């Protein structure tokens, strides 16, 4: 089974009980004008798309979409 974005993998990983920890790394995208492609170059549209991907992943797992994945799933993992 493939995933369209790392966001989908992260939602499934947390749903499976795994814990995701972000580590600081040197800046990957050095060009602040990096293109994400078409409409996704606009930050608000890109964020809306990311939220849509997360919500779709939650629905596929039978989870609530009242909050975004981190709001719902990070709270469960904390502690």
């Amino acid at each position: 089974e493939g995933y369209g974005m790392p966001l989908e993998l992260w939602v499934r990983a947390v749903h499976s009980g795994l814990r995701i920890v972000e580590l600081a790394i040197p800046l990957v995208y050095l060009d602040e004008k990096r293109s994400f492609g078409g409409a996704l170059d606009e930050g608000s549209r890109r964020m809306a798309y990311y939220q849509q991907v997360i919500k779709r992943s939650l629905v596929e797992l039978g989870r609530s979409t009242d909050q975004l994945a981190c709001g719902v799933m990070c709270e469960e993992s904390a502690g």
Side-chain angles (χ1 to χ4, degrees), residues 13-73:
V14 172
H15 179 76
S16 297
L18 298 174
R19 185 173 178 174
I20 298 170
V21 177
E22 283 191 74
L23 302 174
I25 62 167
L27 187 60
V28 175
Y29 302 116
L30 300 177
D31 183 0
E32 291 183 15
K33 296 181 182 182
R34 177 184 182 271
S35 175
F36 290 87
L40 294 181
D41 283 343
E42 185 183 321
S44 62
R45 286 187 177 186
R46 189 168 58 253
M47 179 60 80
Y49 176 69
Y50 291 166
Q51 291 172 342
Q52 176 187 1
V53 168
I54 292 169
K55 286 181 180 182
R56 183 181 65 231
S57 297
L58 289 170
V59 167
E60 289 174 2
L61 295 169
R63 301 294 300 255
S64 170
T65 60
D66 293 339
Q67 298 176 9
L68 290 179
C70 193
V72 172
M73 300 186 89

